[in-house]
Amino acid sequence: MSKPPLDVLLCAPRGFCAGVVRAIDAVEKALEVYGPPVYVRHEIVHNRYVVDSLRRKGAVFVAELDEVPPGDAPVIFSAHGVPKSVPQEALHRRLFAIDATCPLVTKVHREAEIHHKRGRHVLLIGHAGHPEVVGTMGQLPPGAITLVETLADVGRLLPAPGQELAYVTQTTLSVEDTAVLVAALKARFPGIISPHKEDICYATTNRQGAVKHVAPLVDAMIVVGSNNSSNSQRLREVAEREGCPLVRLILRASDINWDEFDDIRCLGVTAGASAPEVLVEEILDAFAERYDIRVESVSTADESVFFPLPRELREPAAG
């Protein structure tokens, strides 16, 4: 029997961003230079396939530093960033710490610190409990930074009289949702200080832009990524907002419910910034087994961003 035809619009950019590449490379380089075990505080990036792959190579993932035994094995901080208390604890315990925080997250940390030093109260637009938000809030003393998630949160803000305000944002948010919150903050507090440069990172913006372009053109859309990946969830939301009838966030081909994709003629595919291209290829191969697919790449931006490895890993350890 001949297979039904299926046009696939493959979003570009998609998949790994420079910060994710740097973080994964940091773990692999540490394993190469120092040998296993290499301890990693939290998931290095939010993708189970990547984490499991690194675990097989000798990475040991821990929730907190108290799970790391004394010794000279490296311990790496994830791309999402950590509160200041974490490197302080590592220093106190004389652990060999390597910080793989994405430089664009570090930029937000520095912004928050500068605002605090200048006497401003900092508002952080982000999602409660996300590791990046925990890390950013942990850059400042308790009470110096307030999390804003919703318009209702904006309405509840009661800064002290004469208190200057500034805001920063999580790097992986929905561009459109964040714009709504920023507009509400500026309407309520006209003097609020904005970031010098957009905090939502280039990769988040570019991937959402590609999905925004493709989603109205297809019958269904697959976002390759993990459920706990903020940027992948935002891609799903963007596709739904743009009117795509069926949007699924899927990690592996085995997760596909084929009944849902029975009658489609055009499929959009993208991947979150922590999803490797091998998973995109796996899902395309699975569709190729059932359909006569014709793949077209739809590019809406060029990316050439590169971040060097953490300083401790740029040269092999002596001896």
Side-chain angles (χ1 to χ4, degrees), residues 63 111 199 216 279 308-309:
E111 282 179 333
D199 284 341
L279 297 186
L309 284 169

Side-chain angles (χ1 to χ4, degrees), residues 27-140:
V27 178
E28 293 187 330
K29 185 68 173 179
L31 285 164
E32 175 193 325
V33 173
Y34 300 103
V38 168
Y39 293 91
V40 185
R41 184 186 177 276
H42 292 182
E43 294 188 348
I44 188 69
V45 295
H46 280 159
N47 187 279
R48 192 173 70 242
Y49 177 90
V50 171
V51 169
D52 288 346
S53 173
L54 292 172
R55 187 179 281 120
R56 287 192 295 271
K57 295 176 182 179
V60 178
F61 292 88
V62 299
E64 297 298 343
L65 293 187
D66 58 12
E67 297 175 52
V68 179
D72 55 6
V75 56
I76 297 179
F77 304 149
S78 79
H80 310 101
V82 295
K84 276 191 170 178
S85 58
V86 173
Q88 288 168 355
E89 180 187 348
L91 186 64
H92 175 71
R93 290 191 53 204
R94 297 183 180 177
L95 297 174
F96 175 29
I98 299 172
D99 189 357
T101 300
C102 174
L104 299 179
V105 174
T106 300
K107 164 190 169 286
V108 177
H109 291 181
R110 298 293 84 81
E111 282 179 333
E113 285 185 311
I114 290 168
H115 290 315
H116 178 62
K117 286 175 183 173
R118 293 179 179 171
R120 300 164 185 153
H121 185 79
V122 179
L123 306 177
L124 169 60
I125 300 174
H127 297 298
H130 188 277
E132 184 184 329
V133 166
V134 173
T136 299
M137 295 191 74
Q139 301 305 303
L140 303 185

